[in-house]
Each structure stands twice: as C-alpha cells, then as structure tokens.
C-alpha cells in the first residue's frame, strides 16, 4: 500500500498513476483502515489534478467510497464489531470533510456526465451524508448552486444514476428544513411524481418506495413545502395511487410497502400536529379531488391486507378529523352489504369484536374519535340512536348506539374500554347531549324494571370488574359529569355512589389499583366542583366534610395526583392517535388527559376552600354571569341596532335612487309638457289663421287660450248649426214635394189649355179667368224656384263651414284632454314624492336620535379626556417647577464658579469631558486642603 501510494504521488506518467490507483481500489475493501490512513490524501490530490482522465478519477472515487462506506463491511462484520465499523467510517468522513473544498470538488465531479465519474461520485457523497449528515449538509448548503447540481441527477436518463440520486437526496433532506425547501422549489415534486407514475404507482418496484420516502422527508413537519404541494395541485395526482380492483388477492410485499408509504404520505399532509389552517385546506382539497372517496372505497373493499386496511382507517380518520364536510360525507358512506349498512356501524362492529386484531380495533376507535371531533351534528346522531324515541323496535338493523352499549357491558375488558371512550367522545364539550343521555334506559334482565345508563355504569363499577373496564367507565363518567350540574345531581341522587367512591379512595391498595383510586378521586372532585347544591344531603360543604373525615384532604390530593404521574398518562397525552404496544397498556385517552389537566388544579383548590369562600365564589360567579348576560344583551342590542342601521342605510340609498329616478321622470315629463304646450301654441296660431278666412264665423272661432267655456260655446253653436241644417233640409224636402205637385198641376193645366184652344166652345169670361189663374201659378213657381236655389246656396255654405270647423274643434279637444290627463298624473306623482320625503324625514329623525346617543357617549369620553389633560397639565406644572429649581441651581453653580475664578482657580466649562470635570474636582479638593 505504501509503495502504491508513493507511485501515485511521484509517477509522472498518467498510466502509472492510474494503475497504482486501480491497485489501491482492489486492496481498499480488504485493507480498509490501511488504505484510508495512507492513501486518502493522495487520492484527493488525484481528484484535484487529474480531472482530465475520467478513468483515474473513477478509480479514486471508488477507493474513497470503499474506505468511507460501512455498507460492505457491515455484511461481513459481526454484531459486536458493528460499532467499531461505524466509528471507522465516521472518522474517515470527518478527515475528508475537514477541508470543505473536498466536498465542493465532489459536487463539481458529480456534474460530469461520464458514467464512470458521476455514479461513484454520487455513491461517495451519499456515504458522506450517512456518516456526518448535518456537517455535509451545511457545506452543500453554503456551496454555490450545491443543491441545484444534485437535483439534476433526477433528470439523468440512466436509471442507475437517477435511482442513486433519489437515495442521495433522501440523505441530503433529512432533518434540514432549508435544504428541503430548496429541493421542493427545484421542482422535486413534479419529477418524483413523474417517476412514480412511470414505474407504475403502487405496482412499481423499490424505486417507488425510495421516491415516497424522499417525498415524506420533504413534507413531514415542513409547512412551507406542504402548502407548496397543495397549491401546486399535486394532491390531485395522488388519487390514482389508491385505485384498487375487485380482486385484491395476492398483493406482493413491495405493493403493500408502497401503498403503506402512500397512505403515510397522505397522513403527513393532514396530521393533527400541522397548523389547523394548513390541515383544513388539505382536507378540503382531498375531498374535492375525490381522494377521500377513493380511500373509503379501499376501506369497504374485500381482500385488502389487514395492515393496509388498518393504515387506510387511520388515514381516513385524519382526513375527516375536524372537517365538517368530510365528516358528513363519511357519515353517508355505506358498506356493500345487503341491506346496506353505514360504514360507521360496520367499523364499530369490528371495534367491539374481540376476535379482530388489536391494531385494527385501535384504528377503528381513532376513526370514530376523529369523526366526532368538533362535530356536534355527528355527536347528536350517535346519541339519538340510544334515546327511547328513535330506537328501532323491529330490531332489523343494528345502530351505533346499540353497538356501543353492547361493547360497554360485554365480558371483554378491551371492548368495555373502547366503547366507554367512544361514548365519552360523543359527549365531548356538548352539555345538551350530556343531559339527553340521562334519559337512556336499559333493560338489564327480564322481569326487572329498566335502569338508567348512568346507574348501570356505576353498578358495574361497584361489582369490581377488571381494571381496564373500571378505568374506561370512570373516564366516561368524569367526561359525562364535567360541566353538567344536572348529571352531577343524578349521580349523587343514588345513595350508594358517594360511599363507594370514598371507600375506594380511602383504601390502601396495590399499584394497579392506584389508577382507579385516582380516577375515583377525580370523579368525586367533579361532583363537588360542579355541584349546584340542589340535594340537601350532598351539598358541597357536606361532601368536603366527608372527605376530611373519611379520607383526609392531603390524602385525597395525593390520590388525585396518581393520574398525571402515571407513565401511560404521559404517553396518551402526546398525540391524539391511540397507539399502544399491547391491550394491557390501553388505559388513557388523549382527550381525557386534556380534561385531567384542566380539572386537577381547580378541584384541588375547591377541596381547600371554606364555605365562606364558596359562597363568595358563587356570588362572584352569579355576578359574572349577570355581567355576561348584560354584556350579551348589549351585544345583541348593538347587533340589532347595527342591522337596523344597515337596513336604514339601504332604505335611504334605495329611496335616494328612487327619488333621483322620480326627479328624472318629472324633468322628462316637464319637457314633454313644454313640447305639448309648444304644439298647442302652434295649433292656436293655425286656428287663428283659419278663422280669418271664415269672417262669418270669425267671432266664434277665435281662441286666445285653452278655455273650456269657449270650447263649449263652439260646441253649442255647432249643435245649433246642425239643427238649423236639419230644419233647412226638412224645409227643402217640403219645397221639393211642392215643386213636384206644381209641375204635375202645370202639366194638367197645359192639357186643359190645349183642350180649351181646340174646342173654343167656352165663354170668353171663363177663359180669361183661367188665364189669370195660370199667370198667378207661374209667378208662384218662379218665386219658389228662387227660394229653393237660395236655400241650396245656404246649405252648401253650411256644409263647407261644418267640414272646416270639425277638425279644428277635434284637435283642440284632444289637446285639452291630453293636457288635463298630464296635469292629473303630475299631481299624483307630486303627492307620492311628498309622502316619500315625509318617510325620509322620519328616518332622518330616528338616525338623529341614534346620533344623539352616540354624542352622549362621545361627551363621556371627552370628559375622561379632559381629566387626563388636567393630569397632564399638573405633571407639566410640576416639571416646570423642577426646571425653575434647576435654573436656580445653575445660577448658584455659575456664581460659585465666578468666585473660584476670582480666587485664581482655573474652572472648566460644563461642555468639557468627564475627566476634565474630575480634574476640576481634584483641584477644588486641593484648594480646600490649602485653605
């Protein structure tokens, strides 16, 4: 080895150095210590100087890996020498990383694409991180682009390097939040999820397992990365992982491992230890993308391996814990049975079945607890299945309440404990349900009257059953009675309960019974603390006197302290999930430990309080309650006033908008009225022009305004003209008939004249008379014809005037009707506006009253402010007095200085340094000594 090291150090030919390094590599596995001590420095030098030759670099990296890594040696070494091996690798790693440049050099070599350089470089860096993780992490973190260079390994097309790159990043990200964040923001989630998908999700090989472990490192207890994972919509990409078929038999061990890690990764995102906001957002995302539904499918599927089923139950528990939407969905899930049963009922059947595996029963209990956590609706549904009014009398279906009661009173102590804890969670922080559960009656045996659930619990306690059963029942009773005075009264009403508790506490029993004694002390303490003194024999003061006589206060407090000092109590207090190594260790519930912490101190104080102090405390409580009631009343009043103010503001805004609309309508209508007036004036002018053409009727047709009297006069005159026209037409018809008669008579006279002329037999007198008559008739006919023509002319004139006057009168009438209609609408709208303005003024008055009340409050505050100002003024006055005193003091000091100067002593000013002042003091002291 020494010769080879000399050759590496001194040979000028590259081939010689390469051969020497190859020989060292072959020896490094067997003679690890010797090669490491003698050759490490030379190998590092080769890495620095011979970077051009990839072969020698590869040999050097392999040799260093063999020296530093423990993997090869662990296979051969025995267990007793394993510690020695660990120390050896750790020591060589420490030597290598002492010079930080060595790690930086290694990061540079990992960037090389050559397989013979990159792969051994990755393996060596992984080994360094395994040996001295935190130190190497720090060096890589401060190295420029150190983490980014290593992230490129995931993109390498050679699977060997990519897979070893995943292992390297696993070691790099362990317990280092800063590196985890950098890796996450270098797109690690996308790349890792792509690899998992390429490898076949849960059906993939060990590469999927490594990727999942790396994802766990990046997400566990890292809120920033969890948020980035959720915001990047990567939760949706987890859904295909949990798609299982109908036939779930024959799963490989690798698939079980992969699915187990996938479920754990989901739990990392919704862990109860995460910040509530982050957990809640992840829970909602899992519901919306269908991941919760997929998990519930696995939960209800057949043939799923037991450990996967257990982990799925735990995962579903944390996905629904404290999330109302998810809890409601879980309550609606039914098992594929005939008839379908709720998933909760099926799970509870497993919990109270003693043949089921212990871990599965714990998981079901955790699921039930998470379903009820901050879920008052779910709690009410569970308790309602126990109440007399809702129990199915036919007995066809088993309810959750019946299963819990069955478990509570079965012969299996683990079922007793699980059912008691589950029922306690149904009552957690819900006073209404605690009171309702007092109504539950149980039929113990045929012929005996039913007893209450509370009474049955205390009966089983007094029968001296197993410790686990009694612990479970005591935890249920403590949860039930805490913060519920009615339940305390019911408990104390049974005369056997208090003597039983005092007897249990007073006895000196073994270590196993100490836990029961502590819980009995807690239950008795709750009965005192939440006692409303409604039972005369069991008032607070009498119970305290009983403790003092039978047990002793100090002894009671000591027994009460047994609970929190117990080892199993400490374990249960750590996390919500019930995780116990064996059924015997199943004693405490996480939520109950919180209750103990809350009550232990207040019960200790309550035991030592005197009756006077109790009275004072009750008075204070009453005062506080009254104060709280007053505060809540005022809060309610303020809330109502705020609502009223908001409503009034909204009404004001709506009314103002309506007012604006109405004003706009009014202005629009005013403009329309103006247009109508203009049209009316134009019509007036036209009517005036037409009246000038008709002189005979000019006086009647002239209109100077929209006057209804003139219009009515015109209408009357028109009616008169129409009547005259009808009379004239009648007269004309009469004249026509007369004319016809005259024409006929004329014809007759002509005929007689001819007969007279032809015959000439009559006398001359008779003929003369006839001629006179004829002449008279002719003159009458001419007069009548002239009169008829005159009447026809007048008729024509009247018809012309009638046609001219009708349209004018029609137009003026329509205009008048329109204007009157508009005036009526305007008056109505003005009335509506006035009523609205009146309502607004009333609202303004109410707002003014509220303003007055607020101004009174302001006046009170101003009064306080003025008092504070007076105090400030007084303090300022005192300050001014102090300043005056200081000014007097300064004057005296300056006078003293003047005197000293007169004596010839050098005096420095106040602005000089402290040393100068000290010197002045020394001189003054010397001067005084001389004096």
């Amino acid at each position: 080895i020494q010769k080879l090291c000399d050759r590496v150090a001194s040979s000028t030919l590259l081939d010689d150095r390469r051969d020497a390094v190859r020989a060292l590599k072959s020896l490094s596995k067997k003679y690890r210590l010797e090669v490491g001590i003698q050759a490490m420095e030379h190998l590092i030098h080769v890495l620095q100087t011979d970077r051009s030759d990839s072969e020698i670099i590869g040999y050097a990296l392999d040799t260093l890996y063999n020296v530093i890594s423990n993997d090869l040696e662990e296979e051969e070494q025995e267990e007793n020498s394993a510690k020695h091996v660990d120390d050896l690798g750790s020591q060589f790693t420490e030597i290598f990383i002492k010079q930080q440049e060595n790690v930086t050099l290694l990061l540079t070599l990992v960037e090389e694409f050559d397989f013979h350089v990159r792969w051994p470089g990755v393996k060596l860096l992984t080994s360094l991180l395994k040996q001295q993780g935190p130190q190497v992490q720090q060096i890589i973190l401060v190295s420029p682009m150190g983490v980014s260079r290593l992230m490129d390994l995931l993109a390498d097309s050679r699977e060997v390097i990519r897979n070893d790159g995943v292992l390297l990043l696993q070691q790099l990200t362990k317990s280092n939040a800063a590196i985890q964040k950098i890796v996450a923001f270098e797109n690690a989630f996308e790349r890792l999820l792509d690899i998992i998908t390429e490898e076949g999700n849960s059906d993939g090989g060990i590469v999927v397992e490594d990727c999942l472990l790396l994802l766990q490192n990046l997400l566990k207890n890292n809120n920033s990365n969890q948020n980035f994972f959720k915001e990047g919509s990567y939760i949706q990409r987890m859904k295909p992982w949990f798609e299982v078929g109908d036939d779930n038999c024959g799963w490989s061990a690798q698939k079980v491992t992969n699915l187990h890690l996938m479920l754990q990764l989901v739990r990392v995102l919704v862990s109860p230890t995460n910040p509530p906001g982050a957990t809640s957002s992840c829970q909602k995302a899992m519901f919306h993308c269908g991941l919760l539904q997929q998990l519930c499918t696995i939960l209800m599927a057949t043939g799923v391996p037991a450990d996967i089923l257990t982990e799925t139950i735990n995962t579903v528990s944390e996905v629904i814990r404290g999330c109302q939407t998810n809890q409601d969905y879980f309550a609606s899930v039914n098992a594929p049975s005939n008839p379908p049963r709720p998933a909760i009922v099926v799970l509870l059947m497993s919990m109270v079945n003693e043949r089921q595996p212990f871990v599965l029963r714990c998981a079901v209990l955790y699921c039930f607890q998470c379903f009820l956590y901050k879920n008052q609706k779910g709690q009410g549904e569970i308790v309602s299945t126990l109440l007399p009014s809702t129990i199915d009398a036919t007995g066809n279906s088993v309810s959750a309440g019946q299963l819990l009661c069955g478990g509570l009173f079965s012969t299996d102590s683990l079922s007793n404990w699980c059912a008691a804890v589950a029922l306690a969670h149904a009552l957690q922080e819900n006073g209404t349900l605690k009171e309702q559960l007092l109504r539950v009656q149980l039929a113990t045996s045929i012929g005996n009257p039913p007893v209450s659930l509370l009474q049955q619990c205390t009966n089983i306690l007094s029968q001296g059953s197993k410790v686990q059963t009694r612990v479970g029942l005591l935890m249920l009773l403590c949860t039930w009675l805490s913060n519920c005075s009615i339940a305390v009264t019911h408990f104390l009403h049974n005369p056997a309960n208090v003597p039983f508790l005092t007897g249990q506490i007073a006895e000196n029993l073994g270590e196993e019974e100490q836990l029961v004694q502590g819980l009995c002390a807690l239950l008795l303490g709750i009965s005192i603390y939440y006692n409303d003194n409604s039972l005369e024999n069991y008032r607070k003061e009498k119970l305290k006197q009983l403790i003092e006589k039978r047990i002793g206060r100090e002894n009671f407090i000591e027994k009460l302290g047994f609970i929190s000092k117990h080892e199993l109590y400490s374990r249960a207090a750590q996390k919500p999930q019930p995780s116990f190594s064996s059924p015997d260790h199943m004693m405490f519930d996480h939520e109950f430990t919180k209750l103990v912490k809350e009550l232990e101190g207040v019960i200790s104080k309550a035991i030592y309080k005197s009756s006077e102090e109790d009275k004072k405390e009750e008075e204070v409580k009453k005062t506080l309650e009254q104060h709280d009631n007053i505060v809540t009343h005022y809060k309610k009043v303020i809330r109502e006033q705020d609502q009223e103010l908001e409503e009034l503001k909204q009404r004001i805004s709506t009314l103002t908008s309506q007012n604006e609309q109405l004003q706009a309508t009014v202005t629009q209508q005013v403009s329309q009225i103006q247009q109508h007036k203009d049209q009316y004036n134009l019509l007036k002018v036209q009517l005036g022009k037409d009246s000038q053409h008709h002189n005979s009727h000019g006086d009647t047709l002239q209109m100077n305004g929209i006057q209804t009297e003139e219009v009515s006069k015109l209408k009357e005159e028109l009616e008169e003209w129409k009547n005259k026209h009808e009379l004239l037409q009648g007269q004309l018809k009469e004249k026509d008939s007369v004319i016809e008669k005259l024409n006929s008579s004329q014809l007759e006279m002509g005929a007689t004249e001819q007969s007279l002329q032809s015959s000439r037999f009559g006398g001359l007198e008779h003929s003369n008379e006839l001629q006179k008559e004829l002449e008279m008739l002719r003159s009458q006919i001419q007069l009548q014809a002239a009169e008829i023509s005159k009447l026809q002319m007048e008729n024509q004139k009247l018809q012309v005037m009638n046609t001219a006057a009708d349209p004018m009168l029609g137009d003026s009438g329509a205009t008048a009707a329109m204007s009157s209609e508009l005036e009526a609408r305007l008056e109505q709208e003005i009335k509506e506006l006035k009523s609205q303005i009146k309502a607004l003024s009333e609202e303004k008055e109410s707002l003014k009253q509220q303003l007055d009340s607020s101004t009174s409050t302001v006046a009170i505050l101003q009064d306080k402010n003025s008092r504070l100002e007076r105090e400030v003024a007084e303090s300022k006055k005192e300050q001014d007095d102090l300043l005056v005193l200081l000014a007097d003091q300064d004057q005296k000091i300056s006078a003293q200085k003047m005197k000293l100067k007169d004596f010839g002593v050098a005096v420095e000013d106040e602005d000089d340094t402290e040393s100068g002042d000290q010197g002045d003091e020394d001189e003054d002291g010397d001067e005084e000594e001389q004096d």
Side-chain angles (χ1 to χ4, degrees):
I1 291 168
Q2 184 62 50
K3 285 179 182 178
L4 289 170
C5 289
D6 291 341
R7 279 176 64 190
V8 171
S10 60
S11 294
T12 54
L13 291 173
L14 181 60
D15 291 343
D16 292 341
R17 293 201 299 278
R18 190 188 302 124
D19 292 340
V21 173
R22 188 190 294 116
L24 284 170
K25 177 192 167 186
S26 61
L27 290 168
S28 60
K29 289 182 183 178
K30 191 172 182 181
Y31 303 102
R32 180 182 173 193
L33 180 63
E34 292 79 3
V35 172
I37 290 168
Q38 296 180 44
M40 184 175 280
E41 191 177 340
H42 301 297
L43 292 169
I44 292 168
H45 184 69
V46 166
L47 295 177
Q48 291 169 344
T49 55
D50 292 328
R51 285 186 59 185
S52 57
D53 185 61
S54 60
E55 199 173 348
I56 192 172
I57 294 291
Y59 292 146
L61 289 169
D62 281 332
T63 310
L64 285 168
Y65 173 72
N66 291 339
V67 168
I68 287 169
S69 175
N70 292 326
D71 297 343
L72 298 168
E73 289 289 335
E74 282 174 354
E75 294 173 6
E76 299 169 7
Q77 296 287 337
E78 296 177 0
E79 290 182 5
N80 55 3
S81 61
K83 190 175 180 183
H84 169 69
V85 170
D86 288 343
D87 290 344
L88 193 61
S90 181
Q91 286 168 9
F92 281 133
T93 303
E94 202 169 335
I95 293 165
F96 184 84
I97 66 172
K98 201 167 188 180
Q99 298 293 326
Q100 291 189 9
E101 295 81 9
N102 295 341
V103 180
T104 311
L105 175 64
L106 195 53
L107 288 170
T108 311
L109 292 170
V110 166
E111 276 190 295
E112 296 287 337
F113 187 73
D114 193 313
F115 182 81
H116 296 292
V117 176
R118 198 171 207 183
W119 189 41
V122 170
K123 289 197 293 181
L124 176 58
L125 196 52
T126 307
S127 186
L128 290 172
L129 283 161
K130 280 182 183 176
Q131 303 295 337
Q132 296 285 343
Q135 292 88 330
V136 180
Q137 282 174 343
Q138 201 57 36
I139 295 166
I140 293 171
L141 195 58
V142 297
S143 174
M145 298 293 288
V147 178
S148 301
R149 293 178 197 176
L150 299 178
M151 281 300 299
D152 293 337
L153 296 170
L154 294 181
D156 201 305
S157 56
R158 296 160 294 195
E159 285 192 9
V160 178
I161 293 176
R162 185 198 69 185
N163 298 345
D164 280 350
V166 173
L167 295 173
L168 168 59
L169 289 169
Q170 268 185 39
Q171 298 298 327
L172 181 66
T173 54
K174 269 186 183 176
S175 308
N176 192 312
I179 292 176
Q180 288 166 4
K181 286 178 187 176
I182 295 168
V183 170
F185 283 96
E186 288 283 346
N187 210 20
F189 294 138
E190 186 78 34
R191 293 182 186 181
L192 291 169
L193 291 170
D194 287 343
I195 294 169
I196 291 169
T197 307
E198 287 167 16
E199 294 290 326
N201 294 330
S202 60
D203 294 319
I206 196 165
V207 179
V208 173
E209 181 183 343
D210 292 335
C211 289
L212 290 167
L213 288 168
L214 176 53
L215 281 169
Q216 275 195 24
N217 280 358
L218 294 174
L219 292 170
K220 199 166 188 177
N221 300 323
N222 193 318
N223 301 327
S224 171
N225 282 3
Q226 287 172 9
N227 191 46
F228 181 62
F229 191 84
K230 179 186 71 71
E231 295 295 334
S233 301
Y234 295 118
I235 289 175
Q236 287 82 331
R237 293 188 62 178
M238 296 167 77
K239 186 190 171 187
W241 296 354
F242 304 104
E243 289 174 359
V244 295
D246 297 329
D247 184 19
N248 296 310
C249 300
W251 284 12
S252 66
Q254 187 61 56
K255 180 170 182 174
V256 171
T257 305
N258 290 347
L259 206 53
H260 204 274
L261 288 169
M262 288 169 176
L263 291 165
Q264 283 182 347
L265 196 62
V266 175
R267 290 184 68 186
V268 163
L269 294 169
V270 291
S271 171
T273 57
N274 294 345
T279 301
S280 176
S281 57
C282 287
Q283 287 171 332
K284 286 173 185 172
M286 286 173 186
F287 174 74
H288 290 304
C289 76
L291 181 58
L292 174 60
Q293 292 84 329
Q294 204 70 48
L295 291 171
C296 288
T297 307
I298 297 176
L299 201 67
M300 295 292 114
T302 53
V304 177
D307 53 345
I308 292 297
L309 183 61
T310 304
E311 191 61 25
T312 306
I313 293 169
N314 286 327
T315 308
V316 169
S317 307
E318 291 183 354
V319 173
I320 66 171
R321 187 176 190 268
C323 180
Q324 190 66 55
T325 311
N326 295 5
Q327 288 166 338
D328 291 343
Y329 170 75
F330 184 68
S332 68
V333 175
N334 285 324
S337 59
N338 193 16
R341 284 177 175 164
I344 296 168
V345 172
V346 175
L347 290 171
L348 286 176
M349 284 177 174
S350 302
M351 187 184 78
V352 296
N353 185 351
E354 55 188 301
R355 289 194 296 274
Q356 292 291 345
F358 172 64
V359 286
L360 180 65
R361 295 173 78 180
C362 288
V364 172
L365 176 62
Y366 184 46
C367 186
F368 192 72
Q369 289 174 352
C370 291
F371 170 66
L372 296 177
Y373 182 71
K374 292 184 178 177
N375 182 10
Q376 292 197 345
K377 182 183 172 186
Q379 288 176 322
E381 287 170 358
I382 298 297
V383 171
S384 68
T385 58
L386 284 163
L387 298 176
S389 57
T390 55
I391 291 172
D392 185 9
T394 58
N396 292 332
S397 61
V398 180
S399 68
Q402 288 169 331
L403 286 169
L404 289 175
C405 278
L408 200 61
F409 308 124
S410 74
T411 53
D412 177 33
S413 62
L414 188 60
S415 296
N416 301 155
W417 190 91
C418 290
V421 169
L423 202 53
H425 275 261
L427 303 175
Q428 202 81 40
E429 296 178 1
N430 199 325
T432 311
L433 295 181
K434 288 176 183 179
E435 292 176 15
Q436 285 188 5
L437 203 65
L438 295 169
R439 292 166 45 206
V440 176
Q441 299 288 320
L442 302 171
T444 52
S445 58
I446 299 167
N448 291 332
V451 295
S452 68
L453 177 62
L454 186 69
Q455 181 62 47
Q456 185 63 14
C457 289
T458 53
N459 290 345
I460 294 170
L461 269 179
S462 59
Q463 287 167 9
S465 49
K466 289 182 182 178
V467 172
Q468 194 173 38
T469 303
R470 283 182 287 161
V471 167
L473 288 169
L474 284 166
M475 283 198 295
L476 170 60
L477 289 171
C478 288
T479 308
W480 193 347
L481 268 60
S482 64
N483 211 11
C484 183
S485 301
I486 299 170
V488 170
T489 306
H490 275 71
F491 179 75
L492 296 174
H493 194 70
N494 185 350
N497 287 340
V498 174
F500 167 73
L501 291 178
T502 51
Q504 286 284 315
I505 300 164
E507 287 182 21
N508 289 320
L509 302 168
E511 286 186 8
E512 289 183 359
E513 294 292 329
Q514 282 184 351
L515 192 53
V516 176
Q517 284 186 315
L519 290 167
C520 286
L522 180 66
L523 184 57
L524 187 57
I526 289 169
S527 302
I528 293 169
Y529 187 70
Y530 291 107
N531 192 340
D532 59 359
N533 293 329
S534 56
L535 294 173
E536 187 60 36
N537 294 334
Y538 295 106
R539 295 172 67 84
K540 282 186 180 182
E541 194 56 38
K542 289 190 176 181
L543 288 172
K544 286 181 194 176
Q545 289 171 4
L546 188 68
I547 288 171
E548 182 67 32
K549 289 176 184 176
R550 297 272 181 89
I551 305 164
R553 288 179 184 175
E554 288 78 11
N555 193 18
F556 179 85
I557 300 298
E558 185 187 351
K559 296 286 172 74
L560 185 63
F562 284 164
I563 303 171
S564 54
K565 288 174 185 173
H566 204 282
E567 182 189 354
L568 297 174
Y569 173 90
S570 304
R571 283 189 201 170
Q574 288 171 3
K575 57 180 182 177
Q577 185 184 357
S579 54
F580 305 101
S581 55
S582 70
D584 297 335
H585 292 160
M586 209 168 187
M587 288 291 174
F588 283 110
D589 170 55
H590 178 75
E591 290 297 324
F592 181 72
T593 60
K594 292 182 182 176
L595 184 71
V596 173
K597 282 179 190 173
E598 183 187 334
L599 293 177
E600 191 175 10
V602 293
I603 288 171
S604 301
K605 287 178 184 175
I607 295 298
Y608 281 106
K609 277 180 186 172
S610 62
S611 56
E612 292 177 359
E613 288 175 341
D614 279 337
K615 285 177 184 175
K616 284 180 183 176
E617 191 177 341
E618 283 177 10
E619 287 174 4
V620 169
K621 276 185 182 177
K622 284 178 183 175
T623 312
L624 286 171
E625 282 175 7
Q626 289 173 358
H627 178 70
D628 289 341
N629 292 334
I630 291 164
V631 169
T632 32
H633 172 68
Y634 278 118
K635 279 182 180 176
K636 189 179 177 183
V637 169
I638 290 163
R639 203 177 295 114
E640 287 172 357
Q641 286 178 347
D642 287 340
Q643 287 176 356
E644 286 174 5
L645 275 171
E646 285 297 321
E647 288 172 4
L648 287 168
K649 283 177 183 176
Q650 287 176 0
R651 283 181 65 188
I652 287 166
S653 61
T654 50
L655 286 169
T656 44
S657 62
Q658 284 177 5
N659 191 13
E660 287 170 1
Q661 288 175 1
L662 288 169
Q663 282 178 350
T665 312
V666 167
T667 50
Q668 190 179 355
Q669 287 177 351
V670 166
S671 64
Q672 285 178 359
I673 289 164
Q674 190 62 42
Q675 287 176 3
H676 289 310
K677 279 183 179 177
D678 294 340
Q679 288 176 4
Y680 169 68
N681 289 328
L682 283 169
L683 286 169
K684 248 193 342 180
V685 172
Q686 286 177 2
L687 284 169
K689 286 178 181 177
D690 290 339
S691 64
Q692 288 174 6
H693 293 294
H694 302 283
N695 293 324
S696 59
H697 302 286
D699 295 330
T700 57
L701 294 174
Q702 286 178 357
M703 294 183 184
N704 297 321
I706 189 157
Q707 296 176 359
T708 53
E709 293 177 0
E710 293 179 4
V711 173
S712 60
K713 282 178 184 178
L714 285 169
K715 284 181 179 177
E716 287 172 3
E717 288 176 5
L718 183 64
E719 286 295 326
E720 287 174 5
W721 281 111
K722 281 182 179 177
N723 294 330
K724 283 180 182 180
H725 178 63
E726 287 172 358
L727 286 168
L728 287 169
Q729 278 184 341
Q731 289 174 5
L732 185 63
K733 284 178 182 177
E734 289 174 0
K735 297 290 182 187
D736 285 339
S737 62
V738 170
I739 288 164
E740 285 176 1
K741 285 177 182 179
L742 286 170
N743 284 330
S744 62
S745 64
Q746 192 176 4
L747 288 169
E748 288 174 358
M749 286 169 70
T752 53
E753 188 179 351
Q754 285 178 358
S755 65
L756 283 170
Q757 286 177 358
S758 63
S759 64
R760 291 181 184 181
F761 292 115
L764 289 169
E765 291 178 2
H766 185 63
S767 65
N768 288 331
E769 286 175 3
L770 286 171
Q771 281 182 355
K772 284 178 183 176
E773 278 181 316
L774 183 62
E775 288 295 329
M776 283 172 68
L777 286 168
R778 281 178 180 167
S779 61
Q780 283 178 1
I781 287 164
Q782 286 175 356
L783 286 167
Q784 285 177 353
E787 194 174 349
I788 285 163
S789 62
K790 186 181 177 183
L791 287 167
Q792 283 177 347
M793 287 291 289
E794 286 179 1
N795 188 19
Q796 285 175 359
K797 284 180 182 179
L798 282 168
Q799 282 178 352
V800 169
M801 283 185 70
N802 191 14
T803 53
D806 278 344
M808 288 186 286
L809 288 168
D811 289 343
S812 62
T815 308
M818 192 184 293
S819 60
S820 61
E821 186 182 351
L822 285 169
E823 283 173 1
R825 280 173 62 190
L826 277 172
E827 285 176 4
Q828 187 179 356
E829 286 171 359
I830 287 161
K831 284 178 182 176
E832 288 176 1
L833 284 170
K834 282 179 179 177
S835 63
Q836 288 172 2
I837 288 161
K838 188 179 178 183
L840 284 169
S841 62
E842 288 174 0
E843 288 172 7
K844 185 180 174 185
E845 285 298 321
S846 65
L847 288 170
K848 192 176 179 184
Q849 289 174 1
Q850 291 173 3
L851 184 64
D852 291 339
S853 64
S854 61
T855 47
S856 64
T857 312
V858 169
I860 293 164
L861 291 170
Q862 282 178 347
D863 186 23
K864 289 181 182 176
N865 192 17
S866 60
R867 274 190 286 167
L868 288 169
E869 283 177 354
R870 284 199 297 275
E871 289 174 6
V872 169
E874 287 173 4
S875 62
K876 278 184 180 177
K877 188 178 177 184
E878 290 175 3
Q879 194 175 3
D880 291 338
D881 293 341
L882 286 169
L883 287 168
V884 169
L885 287 170
L886 285 169
D888 292 340
Q889 193 69 24
D890 285 340
Q891 286 177 1
K892 287 177 183 178
I893 289 165
S894 59
Q896 291 292 333
K897 282 183 180 178
M898 289 297 291
K899 285 180 182 179
L900 287 168
K901 282 180 183 177
D902 291 341
F903 285 124
V905 178
V907 179
E908 292 184 2
D909 293 334
E910 289 180 358
D911 294 335
D912 292 341
T913 58
E914 288 179 8
S915 60
D917 292 340
Q918 187 65 40
D920 289 343
E921 288 171 8
D922 294 342
E923 285 175 14
D924 291 343
D926 294 340
E927 199 171 293
E928 284 169 9
E929 285 174 7
Q930 287 171 6
D931 291 343

